[in-house]
Amino acid sequence: MAGLSFDLIALQLFAGLALGAIYVLFAIGLSLIFGMLTVVNFAHGAFYMVGAYVGLYLISIGGNFWICLVAVPIAIGLFGLAVERVLIRPLYGRGIDYPLLLTFGLSYVMVECVRIAFGKTGYPFDTPEVLQGAVDIGVGYFPLYRLFVIGATAVVLLALWLFLEKTSFGLIIRAGARDPQIVRVLGVDVSRVWLIVFGIGTAIAGFAGLLAAPLQGVIPEMGGTILAEAFVVTVVGGMGSIGGAVLAGLLVGVVVSMTSLFAPEMAKVSIFALMAIVLIVRPQASSAAPD
Amino acid sequence: MKRRRGRGAGREGEGEFRRRSLSAAVQLAINNVTKERGVIFNSISQSDAINEAADLSKYTFHEALNPHMTSGAVGRYAFAKFGKKVAFLTADYAYGHEMVRGFLEVGKEFNIENLGDIRHPLGTTDFSTLLPRLQALKPDILCISNFGRDQQIALKQATDFGIKKSIQIIAPLLSHASRVAAGPQAFEGVVGGCSFYWGIEDKFASTKAFNDAFRKMYDGKLPTDYGALGYGGVRTVLEAVKGAGSVETNKVVAALEALKYDYYKGPQYYRKCDHQSVQSVLVIKSKSKDMKNESDVFEVLSTEEPNEKYLRTCEALGHKS
């Protein structure tokens, strides 16, 4: 192989951060739901996949990508509200394994429903015309759409942070995550809070699925692979820690990218190796308290 | 395909035939069972290994192309036209390695320069960390030696990175279904190989007849490459049974070995030593505009006619001459 140049290493690093942004966007909803509700949502990948399919459907009936950016998270968020209200809520207080098993089964049902409705073969999802092509970022050419994904992730994170830190409802959510009983005693309907948190988490998953669609097309199984990677991010960042998920997502992206440069066939294994190292060196980090 | 044995029929496996289209690994696993049980297996999955003495049995037939044939045909076309500096993006499993081996073998005839082979795990969903390295190698040709979803995503993301502007992408095998699933944008301008394309109906009466029958049966739709292979895999065995006048395995094997057929894509026959179907390989290019119908996805650039010289030799496969 030809020698490494500074530009190549810098571009590789940037590619890793961009990949990390995608991991962050996907993992953040998972982390939010676990951090606030202590629900390990195994259906998160299925919500992500349904988000991509809802976008595909909306475009097929005359919508466009920009409309989808608003409509998809709303649709998947509403779907998430229904799932929480009907399926998850009855399981609160029964132990962490009950919602885990339920969402695990739900993910299979959702994938199968999409296969029945849309077929098993995937569909193309074109990059929006204004975001097509690559731009020079100083060290090489990089796809414009990936830069857009980084920007969109930053906007989602900022909005989430403002919502949780600067609004009174966010204060209730944080208090509820810390001690739901006290919040309940204070007259707050905690179940309503959980409902909204679950809705927000799934809305972000749907949004991530929509953003991923132009990168890889749409197939019913698309949520499966990224779910495993998202769990790595949430474990490395500390289960339930939103700030940790952001840092871990970026770290995982960079680790994958730099491994790809020197030992590409090891890229996939590298993220699991990273998780193993974190679990060995800092086991307490994997069960960090919510931010 | 399976036909139940009648009462009093011969030994186990008599009158029972298999035709399968799955991954190469599954194909080889099925072959292990069928050869042990003496069941005829006509495979329509791609693999070089199934032709080799270690895997082949007298009951094994291979209707599909193999990576050596497709890489050879595509390489001979591309290396003469697009340049000698070649880089590879390869799925890290047997089928990926077989495709690269095919390219490198044919590359010797053209004195290609191998700039590097970047291998990715099977089921990779993001190639963004591999593509900058490939771009930095500045090849004339990038051989994408993977298949299915890996290929669809790799081509989509290579397009996003602007790789096609300066590098010709080739792939040993382009499937109709993958092209439809990934869309015209991702596959635009990619050159690859395939065993069948409905568009050759102008050249072969058998293709026209097959297409017409398919259209009639499936509301005007046209057959894909793997649809045609499935048909070919079953039809050859049925014709062999008819020719043998029996379902007795040894007689059907002999009839298959003697078969000279043209059922859907021009002349074919099974080579005696490895039961590989000697057949044409189409070199195709993906279309992104001027498509006449939803199946009008490829343009046939050239056809490599059936010839045993394009196959690995029987000796190389470990068969006694």
Side-chain angles (χ1 to χ4, degrees):
Chain A
M1 282 258 171
L4 299 171
S5 66
F6 171 77
D7 281 0
L8 177 59
I9 292 171
L11 187 60
Q12 200 73 24
L13 197 63
F14 192 79
L17 290 171
L19 179 63
I22 297 168
Y23 288 147
V24 169
L25 192 59
F26 185 73
I28 207 79
L30 196 67
S31 205
L32 180 75
I33 291 170
F34 182 81
M36 306 295 168
L37 280 66
T38 333
V39 168
V40 181
N41 182 16
F42 260 89
H44 203 68
F47 283 105
Y48 165 91
M49 174 272 296
V50 172
Y53 270 96
V54 169
L56 188 75
Y57 175 72
L58 290 176
I59 289 172
S60 75
I61 58 166
N64 63 44
F65 183 76
W66 310 105
I67 292 171
C68 290
L69 284 178
V70 179
V72 166
I74 292 173
I76 303 302
L78 289 172
F79 180 43
L81 294 179
V83 167
E84 196 277 349
R85 181 67 192 85
V86 178
L87 299 173
I88 311 276
R89 190 176 296 184
L91 304 178
Y92 289 143
R94 289 201 197 181
I96 197 167
D97 49 339
Y98 280 76
L100 187 151
L101 289 171
L102 180 120
T103 53
F104 186 70
L106 179 65
S107 69
Y108 278 90
V109 172
M110 286 166 71
V111 169
E112 211 50 54
C113 286
V114 169
R115 281 184 186 145
I116 292 165
F118 291 90
K120 286 187 268 187
T121 318
Y123 289 91
F125 198 115
D126 286 344
T127 309
E129 216 168 313
V130 293
L131 298 174
Q132 285 178 10
V135 291
D136 191 352
I137 56 167
V139 288
Y141 281 86
F142 202 76
L144 186 58
Y145 183 74
R146 282 182 189 261
L147 297 177
F148 171 77
V149 171
I150 296 171
T153 303
V155 169
V156 169
L157 290 176
L158 181 66
L160 192 63
W161 181 79
L162 288 173
F163 175 70
L164 290 175
E165 297 292 329
K166 304 291 176 190
T167 66
S168 51
F169 196 80
L171 183 67
I172 293 169
I173 290 174
R174 284 182 289 129
R178 227 167 254 277
D179 194 335
Q181 211 159 353
I182 293 287
V183 175
R184 208 173 276 126
V185 168
L186 291 170
V188 175
D189 181 358
V190 176
S191 55
R192 199 171 131 253
V193 175
W194 291 171
L195 179 74
I196 289 168
V197 169
F198 197 87
I200 292 170
T202 52
I204 296 172
F207 186 69
L210 174 69
L211 289 183
L215 295 173
Q216 52 176 261
V218 176
I219 60 162
E221 299 78 18
M222 65 187 283
T225 318
I226 195 159
L227 184 66
E229 287 156 357
F231 271 116
V232 172
V233 170
T234 51
V235 169
V236 171
M239 294 287 283
S241 166
I242 293 169
V246 174
L247 287 176
L250 296 175
L251 176 67
V252 168
V254 170
V255 166
V256 169
S257 187
M258 298 320 279
T259 310
S260 299
L261 189 57
F262 298 104
E265 62 276 14
M266 304 293 287
K268 212 169 192 173
V269 175
S270 67
I271 64 170
F272 297 102
L274 174 70
M275 181 173 77
I277 291 167
V278 169
L279 287 174
I280 291 165
V281 177
R282 290 197 67 218
Q284 72 279 13
S286 65
S287 54
D291 297 325
Chain B
M1 179 173 63
K2 180 179 176 180
R3 181 189 166 281
R4 255 179 219 285
R5 264 191 306 142
R7 188 179 295 178
R11 61 188 175 76
E12 188 186 354
E14 207 76 71
E16 185 179 316
F17 316 113
R18 299 276 164 188
R19 194 276 309 151
R20 197 80 197 186
S21 168
L22 276 169
S23 77
V26 176
Q27 165 194 241
L28 294 171
I30 292 171
N31 184 53
N32 272 336
V33 177
T34 51
K35 77 177 179 185
E36 189 185 295
R37 296 188 182 174
V39 172
I40 293 174
F41 173 44
N42 194 4
S43 170
I44 61 164
S45 302
Q46 278 230 0
S47 165
D48 277 337
I50 199 157
N51 298 124
E52 292 171 4
D55 274 282
L56 194 84
S57 76
K58 66 183 277 194
Y59 311 107
T60 309
F61 288 80
H62 196 227
E63 174 66 18
L65 299 170
N66 59 41
H68 182 85
M69 294 165 79
T70 50
S71 296
V74 175
R76 272 182 285 277
Y77 180 86
F79 298 150
K81 266 196 162 44
F82 305 123
K84 311 290 181 208
K85 291 182 180 173
V86 181
F88 296 88
L89 175 63
T90 307
D92 195 13
Y93 73 133
Y95 180 46
H97 303 168
E98 287 175 351
M99 288 190 271
V100 173
R101 183 180 63 192
F103 274 131
L104 291 176
E105 271 183 40
V106 73
K108 286 177 197 162
E109 296 168 31
F110 294 88
N111 291 319
I112 63 162
E113 184 186 351
N114 179 4
L115 301 178
D117 179 6
I118 292 186
R119 297 195 167 182
H120 67 83
L122 204 59
T124 296
T125 53
D126 197 291
F127 291 86
S128 66
T129 58
L130 304 173
L131 295 169
R133 186 71 201 261
L134 286 164
Q135 265 179 315
L137 294 172
K138 296 191 170 54
D140 301 318
I141 297 172
L142 172 61
C143 302
I144 301 224
S145 297
N146 55 20
F147 193 62
R149 179 102 174 118
D150 283 351
Q151 188 187 65
Q152 293 165 25
I153 297 174
L155 291 176
K156 174 79 178 83
Q157 295 178 0
T159 307
D160 293 343
F161 268 80
I163 281 183
K164 290 178 186 167
K165 283 179 189 160
S166 54
I167 300 167
Q168 175 62 47
I169 296 180
I170 65 172
L173 192 62
L174 292 179
S175 91
H176 191 123
S178 276
R179 157 61 183 77
V180 170
Q185 198 187 47
F187 275 59
E188 187 181 12
V190 177
V191 170
C194 74
S195 62
F196 173 87
Y197 181 58
W198 66 270
I200 59 171
E201 64 181 3
D202 297 340
K203 198 174 166 190
F204 296 109
S206 59
T207 310
K208 179 82 172 76
F210 173 56
N211 287 350
D212 287 345
F214 195 95
R215 281 185 186 106
K216 200 173 160 191
M217 192 172 272
Y218 297 105
D219 299 326
K221 286 193 167 68
L222 284 156
T224 64
D225 42 5
Y226 273 86
L229 272 174
Y231 171 76
V234 173
R235 175 86 187 266
T236 47
V237 177
L238 288 176
E239 294 290 344
V241 169
K242 268 167 70 181
S246 164
V247 293
E248 194 186 316
T249 302
N250 287 331
K251 286 182 180 169
V252 178
V253 167
L256 275 166
E257 286 178 341
L259 204 62
K260 305 278 181 200
Y261 59 101
D262 177 3
Y263 299 141
Y264 65 103
K265 60 168 287 189
Q268 292 177 255
Y269 66 93
Y270 294 108
R271 184 166 68 168
K272 176 82 176 164
C273 75
D274 64 350
H275 291 171
Q276 169 61 44
S277 173
V278 181
Q279 58 184 296
S280 60
V281 182
L282 306 178
V283 179
I284 52 175
K285 183 177 177 178
S286 184
K287 279 184 176 182
S288 63
K289 51 187 110 164
D290 303 328
M291 292 170 281
K292 293 180 203 119
N293 56 58
E294 63 172 8
S295 292
D296 186 16
V297 294
F298 294 127
E299 175 193 352
V300 179
L301 299 174
S302 80
T303 305
E304 199 160 86
E305 299 300 336
N307 193 322
E308 289 189 22
K309 73 177 181 183
Y310 298 132
L311 275 62
R312 292 163 77 199
T313 63
C314 295
E315 291 73 29
L317 294 167
H319 302 293
K320 289 174 192 155
S321 52

